[in-house]
Amino acid sequence: MSRVATPRNILLVIALALLLVAPMFSTDFVVGFVLTQALLFGVAAVSLTFLSAYGGMVSLAQTLMFGFCGFVIGNAVTEGGSKGLNLGLDPWIGVALGVGLTVILGFLLGAIASRSSGLYFLMITLTFGVIGFYFFGQVTTFSGFGGINQIVAPDFIGEPGEFPERLYYVSLGVSVFAYALLRYLVRTPFGLALQGLRDDPVRMSSLGYNLQVLRTVSFALAAFVASLGGVLFVWWNRQIDPASISIGEILAVLIIAVIGGIKNLEGAWIGALFFVVANNYVRDVPGFDAIGLGEDRFNTLIGVIFLIIVLVSPDGLVGIGSMIGRLFKRDRTGDEPGEGSLVGARTGEEEPGVSAPEGGNSEDD
Amino acid sequence: MSTSALTRSSAKRTAGQWVLVGTVGALLLGAALWILFFATGTPADPLFTDSADFIRTSLNSLTVAGLYFVVAAGFTLVFGLMRVVNLAHGSLYLLGGYVALEVQKAMVGKGGNYSPSDVGPMEWLVPLLVAAVLAGVIGLIIQQVFLRWFQGDDMRETLITIAISVIMADQMLRIFGGLAKDIKWPAFVDGFLEIGEFRYSMSRLFMLALALIVGALLYLWLQKTRTGMVIRAGVDDTRMVQALGINVQVVFGLAFLVGAALAGMGGVMGGSFASLGSGSDGQWLLNSIVVVIVGGMGSLTGAAAGALLLGIVSSFAPAYLPAELTPFSIIFTFVLLAAVLAWRPYGLFGRPE
C-alpha cells in the first residue's frame, strides 16, 4: 500500500500552505494577476494532462472546452450592450449552464473521436478546437470576433481589481478540487481501466472493456475539469473572445502541460506558473531584448523553451525535479516501470508508466 | 499489415452505424432537393431556376479542392512514410507565400505597388519555384536537425513540430508584420473566361490546372520511379525496406523535402488566391488536417478525395445556406469530419495504424 507521507505528498502540502499564505506577502498584482492566472490555466491544462497521462489521449480540444464554457456563461449572464444572446441570467445559473453544456459537448466530441487514438486523436481534437475558434468568430449570434464583454461574476467576488484575493482563493479551491478529483479517479476501477486502455488497448478490448465508452467518458470528464477553468477565466477576465481559443491558445495549453510535465497532474500548475511568470517578467531580464526575445517576442521565447523541454526532458520541469531528486536518493522501485505493464503493478498506483503517452494500437512488431 | 482485432470488430455494421448511414443519406437527399428546388433567399439561387449559380459553385468547389490537395498532399506524404504529423506544415505554407511575395516585389519593382496586369508569367512562376525550394530546404533542415533523432517516438516528433510552428509563426509576424497581403496572379490569368453569358475566373481554373499537374507528377513519381517504389514500400513496412539494404534515411529526407516544398507551393497559390496573414498558417493547417483525416492519412488518393469533399462542403455551404445562416457554414466542415470518422475512423482511403 502506498504511504501517505511520500515526498510527493509532503511537497504538495508545503506548496498548498505557501499558496494559502501567499496573499499576505505579495502585492495585489502578483495575487490577482500572476497567481490567479496560473491557477486557472493550470485547471485547463490539467484536463489535458489527465487525458494524456492516464488515457494516452493527447487532446487539443481542451482549450475549446475551456472557452466554450466561457462563451456559454458570457451569453447567459450579460445584459444588453454586449455581443451574444444577453440572456441576463444569474451568474450561478450561468455557471451551471456553462459547465453542463460543456460536459454535453465533451460527450459528443469524445464520442466522435473515441475510435481513434494516438496521433489521430491529437489531430481530430485539434480540428475540433480550430473549428470552434472559427465558429465563435463567425457566428455573431453567440460572439463574433469582438467577443463578449462585461461578463458579471457573483457578487462575493466583487468588481475586477477590488478584492483580488477572493478570486484567488476561489481559484485555489477549484484547483485543489480538480487535482483531488482526478487523483482520486485514477485509483478507481474506472481510472485503472483507463490506464489499461493507455497501455494496451487490444488486451483491454479482449478483456471485454468498451474502449469507446471509456474514452468518451474520460473525455467528458476532462471537459468538466476544463470548464471549471473556463468559469474562473471569465470571472477573472470579465470578457471572452475567439482569440481566447485561437490556435495560439490551443498550443499554449499544450505547452503549459508539457513544460510542467505531461505525466504528472501537478505538472499542469507548475507549467502554468512558469508560463505566466515568463510572460510577465521576461521583459525585465536585461539583454533579452537585444537578442530578439523581448516582450513582443514572448512566443518565440516560449517556443524555444518548449522545444528544449521536448528535446531534453519529455517529463518537463517535474521530470527535471525528480531527476535531481533521484541523484540524492536511489529509487528503490527502479527507474523503469515494465514496458507495457498494466497499471501500477510495480511503481505505485498513481504513477503513470514511462511508455510514451500516445498509447496507439500499433502492432507492427 | 494484417487487420487487428480492433478493426475486425469495427468492420461489421452495428445498429448505430445503420442509423448513421440513414441519417447521412437523408441529409444528402435533403441537401440535393434543397439545392434543386427550394434554395431561395440564399446567395445562390436553386438549380431549377438558375443553373449558372450551380455550375459556378461546382467549379468553385473543384478549383479550391485543387489548392486543398496541393497543400494536403505534402502533409499526407510525410505522415504516410514517417508517421510524423508535421504541425509546422501551415507555417511552411505561410513562409512559402511570404517568400514568393518578396521575390515578386523585387522582380516587378514599382515599390511593391502593382496590379496583376504588371505581372508577367515568369514573375509568378519564379517566385513559386523559389518559395517551393526554400520551404523544402527548411523542411529538410527541420527533419535532419530535430526529428531524425527521435524516429519512432511519434508523439515527441509531433511536439517538436508544434514548437517549431510556434517559433516560426512569431518570427514571421516579426519579419512580415500582421497585415494581410496578397501575391498577384500573372496577367495572363487575370480576368474571366466567358462562354456566352457564363463568366468564370481564369485564375481559379489556372489553380486547378496547376493542382492537376502536381497530382499527375506526384502520381508518376510514386508509381513509376524507383524512388517512388521505395517510398510506397516504406509506407507499408519501413523495417523491411531497411532490411533490404535501402538507405531509408535518404528517402525520409527526400519525402520531407518534397512535402515541405508542396506546402510552400500551396502557400504561393493560396496567397495569390486569397491572402497571407498571421492566421493563415493555422487555417491551412486545419484544411490539410481535415483533408487527410477525411481521405485517410498517408494516401494520395485519399488526399484527392478529402480535398474534393472539403471543397464541395466549403463552397456549397455558404452558397446555399439562407443568407442569415451563412456564418454557420463552418458547421458543415465539422459534420463532414464527424460523419466520415463515425463511418471510417481512419478516413476513406486510410488503413489502421
Side-chain angles (χ1 to χ4, degrees):
Chain A
M1 290 307 291
S2 65
R3 294 171 301 134
V4 176
T6 58
R8 182 193 190 193
N9 286 350
I10 294 169
L11 279 176
L12 279 170
V13 171
I14 294 172
L16 182 62
L18 283 176
L19 287 171
L20 278 172
V21 297
M24 293 175 206
F25 304 102
S26 344
T27 60
D28 278 0
F29 175 77
V30 171
V31 173
F33 198 83
V34 176
L35 291 178
T36 307
Q37 209 182 347
L39 286 170
L40 70 91
F41 280 119
V43 174
V46 81
S47 68
L48 197 165
T49 307
F50 162 71
L51 283 177
S52 167
Y54 296 97
M57 296 176 271
V58 180
S59 161
L60 295 184
Q62 298 317 110
T63 310
L64 172 62
M65 299 303 172
F66 170 88
F68 181 79
C69 177
F71 279 113
V72 172
I73 293 178
N75 278 294
V77 304
T78 49
E79 302 174 39
S82 179
K83 285 272 172 56
L85 295 173
N86 292 317
L87 298 177
L89 300 172
D90 182 80
W92 289 108
I93 297 176
V95 170
L97 273 176
V99 174
L101 290 177
T102 308
V103 171
I104 292 171
L105 182 70
F107 267 111
L108 177 75
L109 298 186
I112 294 170
S114 67
R115 287 169 75 188
S116 316
S117 61
L119 295 173
Y120 283 80
F121 194 89
L122 181 143
M123 282 190 291
I124 291 166
T125 48
L126 175 62
T127 59
F128 291 163
V130 181
I131 288 176
F133 163 72
Y134 283 112
F135 178 83
F136 282 108
Q138 288 168 6
V139 179
T140 46
T141 322
F142 299 130
S143 163
F145 273 107
I148 303 175
N149 301 311
Q150 296 155 7
I151 296 175
V152 200
D155 288 336
F156 79 95
I157 287 185
E159 293 302 307
E162 198 183 359
F163 306 111
E165 70 283 358
R166 291 190 182 174
L167 187 59
Y168 169 74
Y169 280 117
V170 173
S171 307
L172 185 58
V174 171
S175 297
V176 171
F177 168 73
Y179 179 79
L181 173 76
L182 294 176
R183 222 179 131 173
Y184 163 74
L185 275 174
V186 298
R187 302 170 71 158
T188 60
F190 163 76
L192 297 180
L194 189 62
Q195 293 173 70
L197 162 72
R198 171 199 68 201
D199 291 336
D200 196 341
V202 176
R203 189 191 288 185
M204 290 305 281
S205 179
S206 54
L207 284 172
Y209 285 93
N210 188 330
L211 307 186
Q212 293 177 41
V213 170
L214 210 52
R215 285 203 186 97
T216 308
V217 170
S218 51
F219 193 80
L221 191 78
F224 167 71
V225 173
S227 75
L228 298 180
V231 173
L232 295 175
F233 178 73
V234 289
W235 285 358
W236 172 75
N237 200 26
R238 302 300 167 104
Q239 69 118 31
I240 186 159
D241 55 15
S244 319
I245 58 169
S246 67
I247 193 162
E249 297 299 312
I250 292 172
L251 297 183
V253 170
L254 176 73
I255 289 173
I256 285 173
V258 172
I259 285 185
I262 194 129
K263 288 172 188 168
N264 293 281
L265 296 176
E266 51 273 35
W269 284 278
I270 295 172
L273 184 64
F274 181 88
F275 190 90
V276 175
V277 167
N279 201 351
N280 284 293
Y281 294 102
V282 142
R283 67 192 72 170
D284 301 333
V285 179
F288 266 35
D289 250 340
I291 55 170
L293 291 177
E295 185 180 344
D296 296 340
R297 296 279 74 84
F298 170 68
N299 277 331
T300 299
L301 176 73
I302 205 77
V304 170
I305 293 172
F306 179 58
L307 183 63
I308 292 170
I309 290 270
V310 174
L311 292 174
V312 177
S313 165
D315 290 351
L317 295 176
V318 172
I320 292 173
S322 57
M323 232 184 281
I324 294 167
R326 228 173 288 145
L327 287 179
F328 290 102
K329 198 180 110 209
R330 303 299 301 175
D331 192 336
R332 281 186 304 271
T333 52
D335 290 348
E336 297 285 327
E339 177 67 31
S341 68
L342 276 185
V343 189
R346 285 160 49 194
T347 51
E349 53 275 272
E350 73 275 293
E351 210 55 52
V354 155
S355 59
E358 77 272 17
N361 50 359
S362 67
E363 37 119 28
D364 52 357
D365 50 24
Chain B
M1 208 181 285
S2 63
T3 51
S4 70
L6 277 176
T7 51
R8 230 177 285 129
S9 69
S10 65
K12 73 171 191 283
R13 294 273 178 268
T14 61
Q17 281 175 317
W18 284 115
V19 171
L20 180 90
V21 170
T23 318
V24 170
L27 278 177
L28 286 178
L29 188 69
L33 287 175
W34 171 262
I35 290 170
L36 263 173
F37 302 112
F38 305 112
T40 46
T42 60
D45 285 326
L47 176 58
F48 193 60
T49 53
D50 188 348
S51 58
D53 273 350
F54 181 79
I55 296 171
R56 187 170 294 114
T57 314
S58 305
L59 280 172
N60 282 351
S61 40
L62 258 180
T63 48
V64 79
L67 180 53
Y68 290 148
F69 172 77
V70 171
V71 184
F75 189 79
T76 205
L77 181 72
V78 167
F79 179 85
L81 188 61
M82 301 153 78
R83 304 273 127 185
V84 174
V85 175
N86 181 15
L87 293 182
H89 201 71
S91 313
L92 291 165
Y93 166 95
L94 187 56
L95 180 72
Y98 277 140
V99 166
L101 179 62
E102 294 302 320
V103 174
Q104 191 181 55
K105 270 186 193 165
M107 287 178 79
V108 178
K110 302 196 178 185
N113 232 338
Y114 52 87
S115 61
S117 53
D118 303 322
V119 180
M122 279 304 130
E123 283 149 359
W124 194 83
L125 289 174
V126 172
L128 178 82
L129 285 178
V130 173
V133 169
L134 196 89
V137 168
I138 294 205
L140 184 65
I141 292 172
I142 292 173
Q143 192 258 339
Q144 290 292 319
V145 175
F146 296 107
L147 298 180
R148 77 177 275 192
W149 317 111
F150 300 102
Q151 261 159 28
D153 191 351
D154 46 14
M155 193 56 75
R156 206 162 175 187
E157 290 178 291
T158 305
L159 292 179
I160 291 171
T161 63
I162 289 178
I164 291 169
S165 78
V166 170
I167 298 168
M168 280 180 74
D170 199 44
Q171 288 302 317
M172 283 191 284
L173 186 63
R174 179 173 73 85
I175 297 168
F176 300 105
L179 290 176
K181 304 167 174 182
D182 57 346
I183 305 166
K184 299 284 183 287
W185 286 114
F188 74 94
V189 298
D190 185 41
F192 292 89
L193 180 75
E194 298 191 31
I195 304 169
E197 291 283 286
F198 187 77
R199 287 154 51 91
Y200 196 75
S201 154
M202 285 278 280
S203 58
R204 272 180 168 264
L205 294 171
F206 177 62
M207 196 163 72
L208 178 63
L210 273 179
L212 290 174
I213 293 170
V214 168
L217 288 178
L218 273 177
Y219 176 83
L220 290 176
W221 183 51
L222 289 174
Q223 298 292 329
K224 304 291 176 195
T225 66
R226 191 186 140 76
T227 322
M229 205 158 66
V230 172
I231 288 181
R232 279 185 295 129
V235 169
D236 285 340
D237 194 336
T238 313
R239 286 180 189 202
M240 191 63 211
V241 174
Q242 230 165 345
L244 290 172
I246 292 162
N247 187 348
V248 279
Q249 291 305 330
V250 175
V251 182
F252 283 171
L254 188 65
F256 223 97
L257 181 90
V258 172
L262 284 169
M265 191 180 165
V268 184
M269 291 161 66
S272 315
F273 166 65
S275 64
L276 300 165
S278 55
S280 308
D281 46 355
Q283 188 190 349
W284 282 89
L285 179 64
L286 172 76
N287 288 339
S288 304
I289 293 180
V290 171
V291 164
V292 298
I293 289 176
V294 167
M297 294 291 287
S299 154
L300 203 61
T301 323
L308 193 58
L309 282 173
L310 181 62
I312 290 173
V313 166
S314 67
S315 304
F316 274 85
Y320 284 98
L321 272 181
E324 68 274 15
L325 293 181
T326 305
F328 286 89
S329 50
I330 184 88
I331 292 281
F332 285 83
T333 306
F334 175 75
V335 170
L336 170 70
L337 194 71
V340 169
L341 282 175
W343 178 37
R344 290 181 69 96
Y346 295 96
L348 297 175
F349 292 86
R351 285 176 303 181
E353 272 178 87

